[in-house]
Amino acid sequence: MQGMTKAEVDKVEGAEMETKAPPLRPRDAATLLLLDRQGDEFRVLMGRRHSSHVFMPGKFVFPGGRTDPSDGRIPVADGLLPEEEAKLTLRASRATPTRARAIALSAIRETYEEAGLLIGNRGAFATSRPDWQGFAENGVMPSLRGLRFVARAITPPGRVRRFDTRFLAAWRDDVAVELPQGGPTNELEELVWLPLEEARHADVPTITRTILGEVQKRLADDPGLHPGGPVPFYRMLNHRFVRDLL
């Protein structure tokens, strides 16, 4: 294992996130690295958070957010590949296929809400859920087949917000519809496609830079991101930020 001390993590991420309250239980969250390949170069979609946000203002991030358990009941054209579902349920509380499905679908929903990109297949889709109406209106049924689980990170204890975040990846070709006006929320000020190396040097949170490096390494070994690949897992153990593999 390798890692940073808690003091190092706090210094990098910002002391304003610390609290002396008892540690919060991390909430499930998901984020999506949407990748685009141009020749030998890989680019990733990132958005800048509004400067008015309390949490990570002005930082470049991937689309994503907290998992809503009801996302797991949304109908899909294709489910998760078995290799990806198995990885998503490893070493997780409430580790069920239904929970894995909800986590994956929350990444797709957040990408629509924040970036106006609908991942799935063209076809009839209906739901009573208001936050999925964009898919119904544009004739897109969500699909999980193209998603790859590429990293996991749990926010250290002592923070105001704590998340157990699964980082998922998909290809730009998995986008069925790209809304010209963007997504319905006001989370991100701008969206840009950045080469992976350039993205690592942008104004990004430390864990984001770390995950970008991990994805670079995996793409170097496996440019097609085949299912079931190694998933680095970052979390705090005994006051050290450690990494191992799922």
Side-chain angles (χ1 to χ4, degrees):
M1 289 187 178
Q2 59 187 7
M4 297 184 291
T5 66
K6 183 177 185 299
E8 290 170 329
V9 174
D10 288 340
K11 180 179 179 180
V12 175
E13 297 290 7
E16 73 277 2
M17 294 305 298
E18 296 177 356
T19 176
K20 294 183 179 179
L24 298 172
R25 179 178 180 176
R27 296 184 176 185
D28 284 331
T31 189
L32 188 76
L33 286 77
L34 193 61
L35 301 169
D36 184 32
R37 184 171 187 175
Q38 294 188 331
D40 294 331
E41 182 178 76
F42 294 95
R43 300 188 305 162
V44 63
L45 181 70
M46 304 199 76
R48 188 190 296 274
R49 288 180 60 81
H50 277 274
S51 57
S52 60
H53 286 170
V54 174
F55 185 57
M56 295 192 296
K59 297 285 187 181
F60 276 103
V61 296
F62 312 121
R66 193 171 66 190
T67 293
D68 185 337
S70 64
D71 284 333
R73 296 192 289 272
I74 294 295
V76 297
D78 303 287
L80 287 163
L81 293 179
E83 301 94 327
E84 299 303 313
E85 182 179 280
K87 291 276 185 178
L88 280 164
T89 55
L90 281 176
R91 281 194 271 169
S93 60
R94 299 163 293 178
T96 65
T98 300
R99 194 68 180 182
R101 176 188 171 106
I103 290 168
L105 277 163
S106 67
I108 288 180
R109 173 178 50 75
E110 291 283 348
T111 301
Y112 152 64
E113 291 179 345
E114 296 183 359
L117 302 175
L118 284 68
I119 294 174
N121 300 343
R122 296 305 298 260
F125 173 74
T127 178
S128 60
R129 285 278 305 279
D131 46 357
W132 286 90
Q133 288 307 307
F135 285 80
E137 293 166 2
N138 289 279
V140 176
M141 178 167 280
S143 174
L144 305 179
R145 184 176 180 81
L147 296 186
R148 299 291 182 267
F149 184 24
V150 294
R152 179 181 173 191
I154 298 179
T155 310
R159 302 301 177 92
V160 175
R161 298 174 177 86
R162 294 193 71 206
F163 297 104
D164 186 346
T165 303
R166 279 67 164 202
F167 295 81
L168 300 159
W171 296 102
R172 193 172 188 175
D173 290 345
D174 294 318
V175 176
V177 170
E178 184 172 346
L179 301 180
Q181 72 275 19
T185 68
N186 197 31
E187 290 286 327
L188 303 175
E189 289 185 316
E190 59 180 302
L191 292 166
V192 291
W193 288 93
L194 296 175
L196 288 177
E197 187 62 28
E198 184 178 333
R200 289 181 64 195
H201 292 91
D203 186 9
V204 297
T206 300
I207 190 61
T208 301
R209 182 174 295 109
T210 300
I211 300 307
L212 284 165
E214 295 280 8
V215 172
Q216 272 188 300
K217 293 175 186 175
R218 179 163 170 182
L219 286 168
D221 295 332
D222 178 18
L225 281 185
H226 290 87
V231 177
F233 179 19
Y234 287 87
R235 66 205 188 282
M236 190 71 72
L237 286 178
N238 299 321
H239 303 291
R240 293 191 66 83
F241 204 44
V242 302
R243 172 195 185 273
D244 58 7
L245 295 177
L246 299 176

